[in-house]
Amino acid sequence: MSVATATRTPQAGARRRVPDSVLGLAGLAGVAVLFELVPRVGLVDERYLPPASVTATALAELVSDAAFWQALTSTLLGWALGLAIATVAGVVLGIVIGSVPALRAATNSTIEFLRPIPSVALIPLAVLLFGADLRSTLILVVYASFWQVLVQVLYGVADVDPVARDTARSYRFSALSQVRTVIWPTALPYVMTGFRLAAAVALILEITGELIIGSPGLGNAIATAQSSGAVATMYALVVVTGLLGVGVNVLVRRTERRVLRWHPSVRREVAA
């Protein structure tokens, strides 16, 4: 009897395990309660940190405001356009540069010099060229996201099995056939990693550009609310940007799993 009880105990404990989603919701609820209590008890002036209930009310009012949806659409448009341009350019140039050793060696120092330059340092140039326009923010988004994709693609091309590459050459595969059958399957996991990193960076730079440059979007709406003293609305917009970031991360993760469903790492993750 004691042996049977001992064998059942781990199973019973496993059944009682709280799902991660429930724990995550509990954590969010705890943060909301904290932000409700801190201004209520006077630790922080409500003029600078309104209670969570006040922020929620402001958020509900935003949902019925057409200007809010226009700003959200502008942010999503700039993010998606910049991410698409950066991804295509990073993949194409990464495969071309990585496939030619001499070209890789010639561009290595240039890449390492340009990559660490902060995108916000380009704001004066972007404003000078395009003013407070979508294109100004687009420059920042493309520049920051491009390096995330390019570097990962270079790693992916370098990881191609030399035997497979030499075999393709011995069978006189064209350059396009080598990319399609040899390089792309190996580089694709790296491409998706770069795409995931670039998606987050693109959203950050999109909102930052709107906030500083004044181009249309959520960032500009946050700056306008702050300058006009609408503190609750400002915090509500900040919450929206956080929710947008979570949504982008979930979408990109699901896309990555779907594209790489054949890859052993994703199959192990699904099996677990």
Side-chain angles (χ1 to χ4, degrees), residues 83 87 148-149 152 190-200 252 255:
L83 179 61
T87 301
Q148 306 295 327
V149 179
Q152 291 298 322
Y190 294 87
V191 173
M192 295 309 301
T193 298
F195 177 75
R196 172 162 46 83
L197 297 174
V252 172
T255 302

Side-chain angles (χ1 to χ4, degrees), residues 26 28-29 45 48 50 53 84 88 121 130 142 144 155-156 185 194-195 214 233 238 255:
L28 289 176
D45 195 324
Y48 308 121
S53 58
V88 173
F130 302 112
V142 172
Y155 288 150
F195 177 75
T233 302
V238 171
T255 302

Side-chain angles (χ1 to χ4, degrees), residues 163-247:
V163 176
R165 192 193 297 267
D166 293 341
T167 301
R169 289 172 179 169
S170 66
Y171 279 96
R172 300 183 183 278
F173 280 22
S174 64
L176 185 60
S177 296
Q178 291 184 42
V179 170
R180 182 173 56 86
T181 60
V182 179
I183 297 177
W184 184 248
T186 302
L188 185 56
Y190 294 87
V191 173
M192 295 309 301
T193 298
F195 177 75
R196 172 162 46 83
L197 297 174
V201 170
L203 183 60
I204 293 171
L205 266 298
E206 175 66 28
I207 295 175
T208 301
E210 295 167 356
L211 188 63
I212 298 176
I213 297 174
S215 53
L218 291 176
N220 186 25
I222 292 173
T224 302
Q226 185 270 336
S227 61
S228 62
V231 180
T233 302
M234 182 192 71
Y235 277 102
L237 289 168
V238 171
V239 170
V240 171
T241 60
L243 294 175
L244 188 59
V246 172

Side-chain angles (χ1 to χ4, degrees), residues 46-60:
E46 292 189 17
R47 293 177 299 175
Y48 308 121
L49 180 63
S53 58
V54 177
T55 302
T57 302
L59 181 58

